[in-house]
Amino acid sequence: MGDITDAAADASGPPTLTKETNLFMQIVVNPDGTVTRPEVPLVPASEVAGGVISRDVPSTPPPAPAPAASASKLPVVLYFHGGGFVILSPATVFYHGHCEAMAAAVPAIVASLEYRLAPEHRLPAAYEDAAAAVAWLRDGAPGDPWVAAHGDLSRCFLMGSSSGGNMAFFAALRTGGLDLGPATVRGLLLHQPYLGGVDRTPSEAGSVDDAMLPLEANDRLWSLALPLGADRDHEFCNPVKAMAPGALAGLPPRCLVTGNLDDPLIDRQREFARWLQDHGGAEVVVKTDVAGFHASELFVPEIAEVLFAAMREFVSTGDA
């Protein structure tokens, strides 16, 4: 599965953010089609860290009886990290720290998925892994000692950031008709979902020198992640253009879409949120007017707290 974090350590300090030092720009495509990824510090799961404990768990333990729900128990957030489908992991230092901080701030049990990366495993491989993780809420989570002791499986949420936000959306579509037994997915939390298209939006066109997601890197990531021969109007990249609205029927009842004003993807995210509002049956909460750059919540605690506050409000809505 990856890390599972129980309600917080701050994310690592902000790196020097320039196009030249950008991690995505350091990806080397090899002649055999694989890539050499930049080295990023990793943090092992730890028993105690800043008021939060974390550990690694397998994604397919044997099923076990579900614990009884309790008002004192924590919601369970199944989290998908970003990295353009190509780099990073739950153990990446800033994602590990982000999940610890999230677990403490919401508070929640946060399970962060280790999934297959492109181009060695192009989409839909990551979606398949995400859907399997949703099934873990039924088959594995009830028997997990932390979930049994502290988690309320009747309050599960799928969340992702950037490419992880894209994954959370497609995982929800793939598992909308799945019987999850004791688990109930109450909603989606899609933070700065990674989307694209053949025609540039104004925010994309202005991102040539963006420090976090420059246009060249954005194009490279999609070329590595999409199925061979697909362009950026494929449904995995541009669902607004490529998908029939009827495909949204299986989404959870509520959806939160968040984004930052200086993100090159902000135009896509707003278009996507309007599409969900107009064509999906879910209640859609949109908060795309937050100051910050793409992934700034990983490095700027004040922006992370704005996100966590939106999460707390969304997750608590409807609780007794």
Side-chain angles (χ1 to χ4, degrees), residues 115-135:
Y115 57 87
R116 290 173 292 171
L117 299 177
E120 296 85 356
H121 304 281
R122 289 177 176 266
L123 295 175
Y127 302 156
E128 294 166 355
D129 292 350
V134 174

Side-chain angles (χ1 to χ4, degrees), residues 10-15 17 22 24 79 82-83 88 94-95 97-98 101 159 161-162 191-193 210-213 258-266 269 287-308:
D10 290 337
S12 64
L17 298 174
N22 185 280
F24 299 129
Y79 181 80
L88 309 180
F94 41 81
Y95 271 117
H98 181 61
M159 180 179 183
S161 179
S162 192
H191 181 55
Q192 57 188 21
D210 188 80
M212 183 59 71
L213 190 60
T258 52
N260 297 331
L261 290 172
D262 293 327
D263 187 345
L265 306 181
I266 190 65
Q269 293 155 8
K287 296 181 181 291
T288 55
D289 57 353
V290 178
F293 51 89
H294 187 79
S296 53
E297 75 284 351
L298 299 178
F299 309 108
V300 183
E302 294 80 6
I303 295 177
E305 181 48 43
V306 173
L307 174 61
F308 298 154

